[in-house]
Amino acid sequence: MRIAFILYKYFPYGGLQRDFLRIARECAAQGCEIRVYSMDWEGEREPDWDIRLWRPFALTGHGRNERFQRWVYAELTRQPVDVVVGFNKMAGLDLYYAADGCYEAKISSQRGSWYKHLGRYRHFARNEQAVFAAHGNTEIMMISRVQQPFFEHHYGTPPERFVLLPPGIARDRRAPTNASQLRADFRKEFALADDERLLLMIGSGFKTKGLDRALRALAALPPAQGARTRLFVIGQDDSRSFKLQAKRLGIGKRVAFFVGRDDIPRFLLGADLLIHPAYNENTGTVLLEALAAGLPVLCTDVCGYAHYIAEADAGVVLSAPFQQADLDRTLADVLISKKRAQWQRHALAFADQADIYSLPQRAAERIMARARQHTPSNAGSEVGA
């Protein structure tokens, strides 16, 4: 069984990229031949996979995407596979992994009509139409219900083409039996006193995740409380503007930035609160990773996985419309709340019984079922013409 996976870029610390890797590994474990098409690959490569890279030159990002797509489908015409799985929207996919929200809904609500005359808009709109068109044959693997109504509204996509996958956090995020000792070691390493509180933000895409909001909330804490509170930010993104913001707010010395790391579980165990005031977030996998580690969460309700925090009673979910004053006040309250120990217990209990781990297995099942049918949507057709 030959499976082609397509994604524009692979790097070890992106949520989409980590999902791709675990799904592809699950397919490989079932005996499938794995072929990957990408423009860039950072990190180690799976030795048995056929990884094909091509970095096209173009003056714009969407121009590079279009040239890459045409190259991919020329390759697939020359060497067909049984099923084509895309992690970015484009024509010719048998299955699409829907990590991103509805582009048309975003543009309609945030941009003027002039924007639709741009080449960038036409590129992304055409690719989204190719995946979600009512008459299409692409199966859509959703990782959150939040965006499905937008796709159905804008494209008339039949509901039966959507498949909702369970979350799929890595099991190493679960708190181990020696969690208390690991927490103590972590806090000693970073010189965190017993009366200090550590806020944690994790995720590439600092702007979307609401880092600016978190910085303002930290700066708004009462002076005595703020002096005992620090923020660690982990993610593969440009931090320069946020460092300047922290400096302007007078909290530069209380904020530390880290690039993507392999030891995230240590930070989850060592922190006191995950803060995630996102502007928009299809899922928010880190929310579930915090649950599994027993770390209380403060997030916005736009996150697709925010409902798990509410169901587990493991923190606070801020309702829309977002108000900075609400976040400021809630952060101050949460840091001194006597419910924090209760939230921790609830989080650990929820992580023990809820299915928040099986996404790779369920996705692999769908992919292999489609491969057995071997009824490609339009694989091999030219893209971006």
Side-chain angles (χ1 to χ4, degrees):
M1 192 175 292
R2 302 159 299 173
I3 302 175
F5 291 94
I6 309 172
L7 71 167
Y8 289 148
K9 180 177 181 178
Y10 173 80
F11 58 99
Y13 305 111
L16 178 151
Q17 287 76 11
R18 286 185 290 146
D19 288 347
F20 146 73
L21 189 65
R22 289 187 293 149
I23 292 170
R25 282 175 172 170
E26 184 66 28
C27 292
Q30 300 297 323
C32 299
E33 295 181 14
I34 306 300
R35 189 189 304 171
V36 182
Y37 294 99
S38 185
M39 286 186 278
D40 194 24
W41 187 286
E42 297 179 18
E44 297 182 1
R45 303 187 188 186
E46 298 289 318
D48 298 326
W49 294 4
D50 180 5
I51 299 177
R52 304 184 183 186
L53 305 179
W54 187 56
R55 301 178 180 88
F57 172 78
L59 296 179
T60 63
H62 61 270
R64 285 191 293 273
N65 292 348
E66 290 179 359
R67 293 194 66 189
F68 171 74
Q69 290 172 13
R70 286 195 290 267
W71 171 75
V72 167
Y73 284 94
E75 286 277 300
L76 288 171
T77 299
R78 184 172 58 86
Q79 289 184 294
V81 294
D82 296 308
V83 65
V84 179
V85 184
F87 283 74
N88 301 99
K89 298 166 189 167
M90 62 188 72
L93 302 179
D94 298 306
L95 297 103
Y96 166 64
Y97 183 82
D100 294 326
C102 180
Y103 179 75
E104 190 63 45
K106 177 181 176 181
I107 296 305
S108 298
S109 63
Q110 298 181 10
R111 303 283 188 174
S113 58
W114 60 269
Y115 192 83
K116 295 189 176 183
H117 295 287
L118 300 181
R120 174 181 173 82
Y121 166 79
R122 291 195 296 269
H123 166 75
F124 287 106
R126 181 172 60 244
N127 281 325
E128 188 166 90
Q129 172 75 25
V131 173
F132 292 94
H135 61 272
N137 194 32
T138 301
E139 188 171 324
I140 302 145
M141 297 186 291
M142 301 293 291
I143 52 179
S144 168
R145 293 188 185 277
V146 171
Q147 291 292 315
Q148 183 172 334
F150 295 104
F151 291 123
E152 292 178 344
H153 170 73
H154 285 281
Y155 300 104
T157 318
E160 58 268 21
R161 294 223 332 258
F162 293 93
V163 177
L164 181 64
L165 299 175
I169 67 169
R171 292 186 179 273
D172 67 357
R173 268 40 176 177
R174 297 185 66 176
T177 55
N178 63 337
S180 297
Q181 184 60 52
L182 292 174
R183 174 180 170 84
D185 293 343
F186 175 90
R187 294 180 72 86
K188 181 178 179 181
E189 176 183 342
F190 289 98
L192 289 160
D194 291 342
D195 65 343
E196 283 188 291
R197 294 291 173 257
L198 176 61
L199 309 179
L200 186 63
M201 277 200 72
I202 301 174
S204 301
F206 294 154
K207 183 176 181 180
T208 301
K209 309 299 183 187
L211 177 53
D212 61 324
R213 294 171 167 178
L215 292 173
R216 286 194 289 269
L218 175 59
L221 290 173
Q225 189 180 29
R228 301 192 309 274
T229 305
R230 295 166 65 181
L231 170 64
F232 284 1
V233 182
I234 305 174
Q236 193 160 316
D237 201 355
D238 188 346
S239 62
R240 287 174 294 182
S241 64
F242 298 99
K243 288 179 178 178
L244 288 173
Q245 181 188 4
K247 184 177 181 180
R248 288 195 302 268
L249 292 170
I251 57 172
K253 294 182 178 179
R254 287 187 271 149
V255 181
F257 288 83
F258 304 83
V259 296
R261 298 176 66 104
D262 295 321
D263 59 347
I264 295 298
R266 294 178 61 240
F267 285 79
L268 294 170
L269 294 174
D272 297 289
L273 180 73
L274 180 83
I275 183 168
H276 198 84
Y279 284 84
N280 57 77
E281 182 77 272
N282 190 22
T283 55
T285 301
V286 69
L287 307 184
L288 297 183
E289 293 180 333
L291 280 183
L295 179 63
V297 174
L298 171 57
C299 67
T300 48
D301 66 354
V302 300
C303 302
Y305 287 164
H307 68 93
Y308 288 107
I309 306 302
E311 292 168 14
D313 188 17
V316 178
V317 179
L318 297 176
S319 300
F322 175 84
Q323 298 291 332
Q324 184 67 43
D326 291 342
L327 177 62
D328 299 347
R329 181 177 57 255
T330 304
L331 177 61
D333 292 343
V334 165
L335 289 176
I336 61 173
S337 175
K338 295 180 180 179
K339 293 187 66 176
R340 287 177 56 253
Q342 177 179 313
W343 287 333
Q344 181 184 39
R345 292 194 300 271
H346 290 172
L348 293 172
F350 183 85
D352 280 341
Q353 55 85 27
D355 179 13
I356 55 175
Y357 308 101
S358 65
L359 181 151
Q361 292 77 28
R362 302 289 81 78
E365 289 174 3
R366 300 299 304 191
I367 292 168
M368 290 187 289
R370 182 63 179 262
R372 284 190 288 269
Q373 297 172 8
H374 196 49
T375 54
S377 56
N378 55 342
S381 64
E382 184 171 331
V383 176

